[in-house]
């Protein structure tokens, strides 16, 4: 159980309140978690809360936020875009800096991956690494021209009733025209390439992308992470998770109790430490 967890709101760059949960640590290192679509600051199966609990045990602070239109956010889902994600992450990052943390590790889960990667590129002096779990690393391959059967069935463009298009994941969760337009214009592979180029110039001593990806992930194909390792070996550190689907859970585990699931969580925490 989290012993020093505090619910709070962070002032966003545009004045919008960002709901968050902060867990105290014992040093000047903090982890900033970005959740995926349909998720929130706890994430599916309480994955983010479980990560925060393990970090607290190790003395590392953790900040988990709700993106716009998710969790306890008071603004509509229509305001959720890649640029709003990055803006919220920047606000959360500044909040941690103002608290006196010397080092921040963004941790992006699934659709939270691009925001974590972009934040990492923007702050090379204070962000030594970016942790990524089953990450979206290419909007084209993962979302608007998806390669997996799940992606093809989930991200089918349909009319939004106003002359635009949307992805209707459910009656309650519709990804709108503004978001779709932005993901088609946001080149995440180029961001990764710039981070890698900076690393090459620093003889491999720059920022790392620590990727943890289930080999049986039906949503975001493991192959994409493996290709990044092959292309940028000085930057990408890939940890394949055997018998694991999307996130950290083992195949068939819906309670986050399988031995493989627990091992995956421990593996992520050990790399952060």
């Amino acid at each position: 159980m989290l012993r020093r967890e505090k619910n709070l709101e962070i002032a966003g760059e545009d004045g919008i309140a960002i709901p968050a949960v902060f867990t105290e640590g014992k040093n000047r290192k903090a982890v900033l978690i970005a959740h995926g679509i349909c998720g929130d600051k706890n994430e599916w199966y309480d994955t983010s809360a479980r990560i925060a609990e393990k970090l607290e045990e190790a003395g590392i602070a953790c900040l988990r936020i709700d993106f716009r239109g998710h969790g306890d956010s008071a603004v509509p889902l229509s305001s959720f875009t890649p640029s709003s994600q990055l803006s919220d992450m920047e606000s959360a990052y500044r909040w941690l800096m103002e608290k006196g943390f010397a080092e921040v590790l963004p941790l992006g889960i699934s659709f939270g991956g691009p925001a974590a990667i972009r934040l990492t590129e923007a702050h090379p002096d204070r962000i030594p690494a970016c942790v990524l779990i089953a990450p979206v690393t290419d909007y084209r391959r993962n979302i608007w021209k998806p390669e997996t059967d799940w992606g093809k069935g989930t991200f089918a463009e349909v009319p939004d009733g106003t002359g635009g298009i949307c992805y209707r994941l459910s009656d309650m969760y519709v990804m709108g025209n503004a978001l779709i337009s932005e993901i088609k214009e946001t080149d995440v592979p180029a961001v990764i390439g710039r981070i890698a180029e900076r690393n090459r110039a620093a003889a491999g001593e720059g920022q790392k992308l620590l990727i943890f990806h289930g080999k049986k992930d039906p949503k975001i194909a493991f192959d994409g992470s493996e290709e990044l390792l092959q292309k940028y070996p000085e930057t990408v550190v890939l940890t394949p998770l055997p018998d694991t689907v999307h996130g950290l859970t083992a195949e068939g585990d819906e309670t986050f109790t399988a031995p493989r699931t627990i091992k995956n969580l421990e593996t992520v925490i050990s790399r952060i430490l």
Side-chain angles (χ1 to χ4, degrees):
M1 179 179 292
L2 295 167
R3 295 176 293 277
R4 291 176 289 177
E5 184 175 85
K6 179 181 179 182
N7 290 284
L8 53 92
E9 287 188 340
I10 295 170
E13 292 180 328
D14 50 7
I16 290 177
I18 304 167
V21 176
F22 177 63
T23 308
E24 296 280 357
K26 297 180 180 178
N27 55 38
R28 299 177 67 203
K29 180 177 180 178
V31 173
L32 170 58
I33 300 183
H35 66 76
I37 54 174
C38 300
D40 59 22
K41 54 186 172 291
N42 290 327
E43 197 52 283
W44 292 102
Y45 304 118
D46 288 335
T47 298
S48 296
R50 295 174 193 274
I51 291 171
E53 184 173 7
K54 291 296 183 182
L55 291 172
E56 182 189 33
E57 292 173 2
I60 297 176
C62 182
L63 181 64
R64 296 141 42 207
I65 66 172
D66 281 334
F67 286 125
R68 301 171 196 215
H70 296 75
D72 294 321
S73 173
V75 299
L77 183 60
S78 58
S79 64
F80 174 67
T81 63
S83 59
S84 78
Q85 280 184 292
L86 181 58
S87 174
D88 292 348
M89 288 288 280
E90 285 282 4
S91 297
Y93 171 82
R94 283 197 300 274
W95 187 88
L96 289 168
M97 290 294 100
E98 291 168 1
K99 292 277 288 184
F101 288 98
E103 183 178 298
V104 173
L105 272 66
L107 189 159
I109 300 175
S110 191
F111 199 82
I117 293 168
R118 295 170 74 189
L119 184 73
T120 298
E121 182 195 19
H123 302 282
D125 296 334
R126 293 292 184 92
I127 299 180
C130 177
V131 182
L132 300 165
I133 298 174
V136 168
T137 54
D138 185 335
Y139 284 130
R140 178 184 177 87
R141 295 179 61 180
N142 302 146
I143 308 295
W144 62 281
K145 294 290 183 181
E147 298 176 342
T148 65
D149 290 340
W150 174 86
K152 293 173 184 176
T154 301
F155 301 110
E157 294 183 359
V158 296
D160 66 0
T162 66
I165 56 174
C166 68
Y167 299 140
R168 189 174 296 277
L169 279 66
S170 71
D171 289 342
M172 299 296 294
Y173 198 98
V174 179
M175 301 171 72
N177 192 67
L179 183 148
I180 295 173
S181 296
E182 269 202 36
I183 66 172
K184 290 182 178 181
E185 296 171 356
T186 304
D187 192 345
V188 181
V191 178
I192 296 172
R194 291 193 294 269
I195 293 173
E197 182 59 34
R198 211 158 52 191
N199 277 358
R200 283 192 288 267
E205 295 300 317
Q207 297 165 303
K208 303 296 183 184
L209 301 182
L210 309 179
I211 302 178
F212 302 84
H213 206 148
K215 296 195 73 175
K216 294 186 176 182
D217 189 341
K219 297 182 177 181
I220 305 299
F222 173 81
D223 291 351
S225 292
E226 196 167 44
E227 289 169 15
L228 284 177
L229 171 63
Q230 295 168 355
K231 190 172 184 178
Y232 303 119
E234 72 291 322
T235 298
V236 173
V237 180
L238 174 61
T239 302
L241 304 177
D243 301 316
T244 301
V245 289
H246 195 59
L248 296 179
T249 49
E251 191 172 23
D253 181 15
E254 296 185 358
T255 58
F256 212 97
T257 57
R260 165 47 57 187
T261 301
I262 302 305
K263 177 64 175 177
N264 291 340
L265 175 60
E266 293 171 347
T267 298
V268 172
I269 298 301
S270 67
R271 291 308 303 265
I272 292 174
L273 301 181

